[in-house]
mmCIF file of all heavy atoms in Angstrom:
data_model
loop_
_atom_site.group_PDB
_atom_site.id
_atom_site.type_symbol
_atom_site.label_atom_id
_atom_site.label_comp_id
_atom_site.label_asym_id
_atom_site.label_seq_id
_atom_site.Cartn_x
_atom_site.Cartn_y
_atom_site.Cartn_z
ATOM 1 N N ILE J 3 -0.707 48.884 -8.322
ATOM 2 C CA ILE J 3 -0.195 47.524 -8.491
ATOM 3 C C ILE J 3 0.220 47.300 -9.942
ATOM 4 O O ILE J 3 1.135 46.517 -10.233
ATOM 5 C CB ILE J 3 -1.270 46.498 -8.042
ATOM 6 C CG1 ILE J 3 -0.634 45.125 -7.839
ATOM 7 C CG2 ILE J 3 -2.425 46.439 -9.025
ATOM 8 C CD1 ILE J 3 -1.585 44.111 -7.262
ATOM 9 N N SER J 18 -0.072 40.682 -6.613
ATOM 10 C CA SER J 18 -1.048 40.486 -5.545
ATOM 11 C C SER J 18 -0.718 39.226 -4.743
ATOM 12 O O SER J 18 -0.741 39.234 -3.513
ATOM 13 C CB SER J 18 -2.444 40.374 -6.154
ATOM 14 O OG SER J 18 -3.387 40.058 -5.177
ATOM 15 N N TRP J 44 6.017 51.173 -3.195
ATOM 16 C CA TRP J 44 4.601 50.851 -3.277
ATOM 17 C C TRP J 44 4.163 49.861 -2.190
ATOM 18 O O TRP J 44 4.904 48.938 -1.845
ATOM 19 C CB TRP J 44 4.287 50.248 -4.652
ATOM 20 C CG TRP J 44 2.872 49.771 -4.789
ATOM 21 C CD1 TRP J 44 1.794 50.514 -5.182
ATOM 22 C CD2 TRP J 44 2.387 48.453 -4.535
ATOM 23 N NE1 TRP J 44 0.669 49.730 -5.184
ATOM 24 C CE2 TRP J 44 1.004 48.473 -4.801
ATOM 25 C CE3 TRP J 44 2.987 47.260 -4.122
ATOM 26 C CZ2 TRP J 44 0.195 47.337 -4.647
ATOM 27 C CZ3 TRP J 44 2.187 46.132 -3.970
ATOM 28 C CH2 TRP J 44 0.800 46.167 -4.235
ATOM 29 N N ALA J 50 -8.474 49.992 -1.312
ATOM 30 C CA ALA J 50 -8.840 49.083 -2.388
ATOM 31 C C ALA J 50 -8.844 47.647 -1.872
ATOM 32 O O ALA J 50 -9.712 46.832 -2.199
ATOM 33 C CB ALA J 50 -7.847 49.222 -3.534
ATOM 34 N N ARG J 51 -7.864 47.370 -1.066
ATOM 35 C CA ARG J 51 -7.750 46.058 -0.490
ATOM 36 C C ARG J 51 -8.983 45.732 0.355
ATOM 37 O O ARG J 51 -9.571 44.650 0.263
ATOM 38 C CB ARG J 51 -6.532 46.083 0.431
ATOM 39 C CG ARG J 51 -5.905 44.783 0.610
ATOM 40 C CD ARG J 51 -4.496 45.018 1.119
ATOM 41 N NE ARG J 51 -3.770 43.800 0.948
ATOM 42 C CZ ARG J 51 -3.185 43.175 1.960
ATOM 43 N NH1 ARG J 51 -3.225 43.687 3.164
ATOM 44 N NH2 ARG J 51 -2.569 42.055 1.730
ATOM 45 N N SER J 54 -12.017 45.014 -1.919
ATOM 46 C CA SER J 54 -12.102 43.757 -2.653
ATOM 47 C C SER J 54 -12.066 42.534 -1.746
ATOM 48 O O SER J 54 -12.588 41.495 -2.104
ATOM 49 C CB SER J 54 -11.028 43.679 -3.734
ATOM 50 O OG SER J 54 -9.771 43.696 -3.165
ATOM 51 P P DG W 9 -6.221 54.674 -8.422
ATOM 52 O OP1 DG W 9 -5.388 55.692 -7.783
ATOM 53 O OP2 DG W 9 -6.204 54.478 -9.884
ATOM 54 O "O5'" DG W 9 -5.902 53.259 -7.772
ATOM 55 C "C5'" DG W 9 -5.880 53.141 -6.361
ATOM 56 C "C4'" DG W 9 -5.922 51.682 -5.999
ATOM 57 O "O4'" DG W 9 -7.157 51.108 -6.446
ATOM 58 C "C3'" DG W 9 -4.809 50.840 -6.623
ATOM 59 O "O3'" DG W 9 -4.141 50.183 -5.576
ATOM 60 C "C2'" DG W 9 -5.542 49.874 -7.548
ATOM 61 C "C1'" DG W 9 -6.924 49.811 -6.923
ATOM 62 N N9 DG W 9 -8.005 49.519 -7.851
ATOM 63 C C8 DG W 9 -8.111 49.921 -9.157
ATOM 64 N N7 DG W 9 -9.215 49.524 -9.734
ATOM 65 C C5 DG W 9 -9.877 48.815 -8.738
ATOM 66 C C6 DG W 9 -11.132 48.137 -8.775
ATOM 67 O O6 DG W 9 -11.922 48.054 -9.714
ATOM 68 N N1 DG W 9 -11.436 47.538 -7.563
ATOM 69 C C2 DG W 9 -10.618 47.585 -6.443
ATOM 70 N N2 DG W 9 -11.065 46.956 -5.368
ATOM 71 N N3 DG W 9 -9.449 48.211 -6.399
ATOM 72 C C4 DG W 9 -9.141 48.795 -7.574
ATOM 73 P P DC W 10 -3.111 49.007 -5.779
ATOM 74 O OP1 DC W 10 -2.104 49.123 -4.732
ATOM 75 O OP2 DC W 10 -2.709 48.969 -7.200
ATOM 76 O "O5'" DC W 10 -4.003 47.752 -5.449
ATOM 77 C "C5'" DC W 10 -4.468 47.598 -4.109
ATOM 78 C "C4'" DC W 10 -5.543 46.555 -4.058
ATOM 79 O "O4'" DC W 10 -6.470 46.799 -5.124
ATOM 80 C "C3'" DC W 10 -5.036 45.134 -4.251
ATOM 81 O "O3'" DC W 10 -5.114 44.454 -3.001
ATOM 82 C "C2'" DC W 10 -5.978 44.507 -5.269
ATOM 83 C "C1'" DC W 10 -7.044 45.564 -5.502
ATOM 84 N N1 DC W 10 -7.445 45.665 -6.924
ATOM 85 C C2 DC W 10 -8.648 45.105 -7.328
ATOM 86 O O2 DC W 10 -9.344 44.508 -6.500
ATOM 87 N N3 DC W 10 -9.024 45.215 -8.626
ATOM 88 C C4 DC W 10 -8.243 45.879 -9.498
ATOM 89 N N4 DC W 10 -8.649 45.980 -10.768
ATOM 90 C C5 DC W 10 -7.009 46.461 -9.102
ATOM 91 C C6 DC W 10 -6.649 46.326 -7.820
ATOM 92 P P DT W 11 -4.525 42.982 -2.908
ATOM 93 O OP1 DT W 11 -4.235 42.758 -1.493
ATOM 94 O OP2 DT W 11 -3.511 42.768 -3.946
ATOM 95 O "O5'" DT W 11 -5.824 42.143 -3.298
ATOM 96 C "C5'" DT W 11 -6.911 42.113 -2.399
ATOM 97 C "C4'" DT W 11 -7.961 41.149 -2.905
ATOM 98 O "O4'" DT W 11 -8.362 41.510 -4.251
ATOM 99 C "C3'" DT W 11 -7.530 39.684 -2.969
ATOM 100 O "O3'" DT W 11 -8.606 38.933 -2.443
ATOM 101 C "C2'" DT W 11 -7.306 39.430 -4.461
ATOM 102 C "C1'" DT W 11 -8.339 40.367 -5.080
ATOM 103 N N1 DT W 11 -8.091 40.896 -6.448
ATOM 104 C C2 DT W 11 -9.090 40.805 -7.379
ATOM 105 O O2 DT W 11 -10.166 40.281 -7.162
ATOM 106 N N3 DT W 11 -8.797 41.362 -8.605
ATOM 107 C C4 DT W 11 -7.623 41.987 -8.979
ATOM 108 O O4 DT W 11 -7.486 42.449 -10.106
ATOM 109 C C5 DT W 11 -6.603 42.045 -7.952
ATOM 110 C C7 DT W 11 -5.300 42.686 -8.254
ATOM 111 C C6 DT W 11 -6.876 41.498 -6.750
ATOM 112 P P DA W 12 -8.378 37.435 -2.002
ATOM 113 O OP1 DA W 12 -9.185 37.190 -0.797
ATOM 114 O OP2 DA W 12 -6.931 37.112 -2.029
ATOM 115 O "O5'" DA W 12 -9.084 36.675 -3.208
ATOM 116 C "C5'" DA W 12 -10.411 37.048 -3.576
ATOM 117 C "C4'" DA W 12 -10.827 36.218 -4.767
ATOM 118 O "O4'" DA W 12 -10.326 36.838 -5.972
ATOM 119 C "C3'" DA W 12 -10.251 34.802 -4.772
ATOM 120 O "O3'" DA W 12 -11.211 33.968 -5.411
ATOM 121 C "C2'" DA W 12 -9.009 34.932 -5.627
ATOM 122 C "C1'" DA W 12 -9.513 35.911 -6.672
ATOM 123 N N9 DA W 12 -8.457 36.665 -7.311
ATOM 124 C C8 DA W 12 -7.176 36.891 -6.875
ATOM 125 N N7 DA W 12 -6.461 37.621 -7.684
ATOM 126 C C5 DA W 12 -7.326 37.906 -8.728
ATOM 127 C C6 DA W 12 -7.174 38.640 -9.907
ATOM 128 N N6 DA W 12 -6.038 39.267 -10.238
ATOM 129 N N1 DA W 12 -8.233 38.716 -10.743
ATOM 130 C C2 DA W 12 -9.368 38.093 -10.397
ATOM 131 N N3 DA W 12 -9.633 37.367 -9.304
ATOM 132 C C4 DA W 12 -8.557 37.320 -8.508
ATOM 133 P P DA W 13 -11.280 32.439 -4.998
ATOM 134 O OP1 DA W 13 -11.946 32.402 -3.684
ATOM 135 O OP2 DA W 13 -9.960 31.813 -5.191
ATOM 136 O "O5'" DA W 13 -12.284 31.850 -6.095
ATOM 137 C "C5'" DA W 13 -13.388 32.630 -6.531
ATOM 138 C "C4'" DA W 13 -13.458 32.665 -8.052
ATOM 139 O "O4'" DA W 13 -12.377 33.494 -8.567
ATOM 140 C "C3'" DA W 13 -13.320 31.294 -8.729
ATOM 141 O "O3'" DA W 13 -14.357 31.155 -9.690
ATOM 142 C "C2'" DA W 13 -11.935 31.325 -9.380
ATOM 143 C "C1'" DA W 13 -11.748 32.815 -9.639
ATOM 144 N N9 DA W 13 -10.344 33.242 -9.640
ATOM 145 C C8 DA W 13 -9.401 33.006 -8.669
ATOM 146 N N7 DA W 13 -8.224 33.518 -8.942
ATOM 147 C C5 DA W 13 -8.402 34.132 -10.175
ATOM 148 C C6 DA W 13 -7.522 34.860 -11.004
ATOM 149 N N6 DA W 13 -6.246 35.095 -10.696
ATOM 150 N N1 DA W 13 -8.021 35.334 -12.163
ATOM 151 C C2 DA W 13 -9.300 35.094 -12.470
ATOM 152 N N3 DA W 13 -10.223 34.436 -11.769
ATOM 153 C C4 DA W 13 -9.706 33.972 -10.618
ATOM 154 P P DC W 14 -14.594 29.721 -10.426
ATOM 155 O OP1 DC W 14 -16.043 29.640 -10.707
ATOM 156 O OP2 DC W 14 -13.911 28.649 -9.677
ATOM 157 O "O5'" DC W 14 -13.829 29.930 -11.816
ATOM 158 C "C5'" DC W 14 -14.030 31.148 -12.542
ATOM 159 C "C4'" DC W 14 -13.062 31.208 -13.701
ATOM 160 O "O4'" DC W 14 -11.766 31.687 -13.246
ATOM 161 C "C3'" DC W 14 -12.808 29.846 -14.366
ATOM 162 O "O3'" DC W 14 -12.971 29.987 -15.753
ATOM 163 C "C2'" DC W 14 -11.362 29.530 -13.994
ATOM 164 C "C1'" DC W 14 -10.768 30.938 -13.917
ATOM 165 N N1 DC W 14 -9.509 31.034 -13.128
ATOM 166 C C2 DC W 14 -8.494 31.890 -13.577
ATOM 167 O O2 DC W 14 -8.682 32.543 -14.617
ATOM 168 N N3 DC W 14 -7.334 31.972 -12.874
ATOM 169 C C4 DC W 14 -7.180 31.250 -11.766
ATOM 170 N N4 DC W 14 -6.040 31.371 -11.104
ATOM 171 C C5 DC W 14 -8.190 30.377 -11.287
ATOM 172 C C6 DC W 14 -9.328 30.300 -11.999
#
Side-chain angles (χ1 to χ4, degrees):
Chain J
I3 196 174
S18 174
W44 175 87
R51 207 161 196 237
S54 63

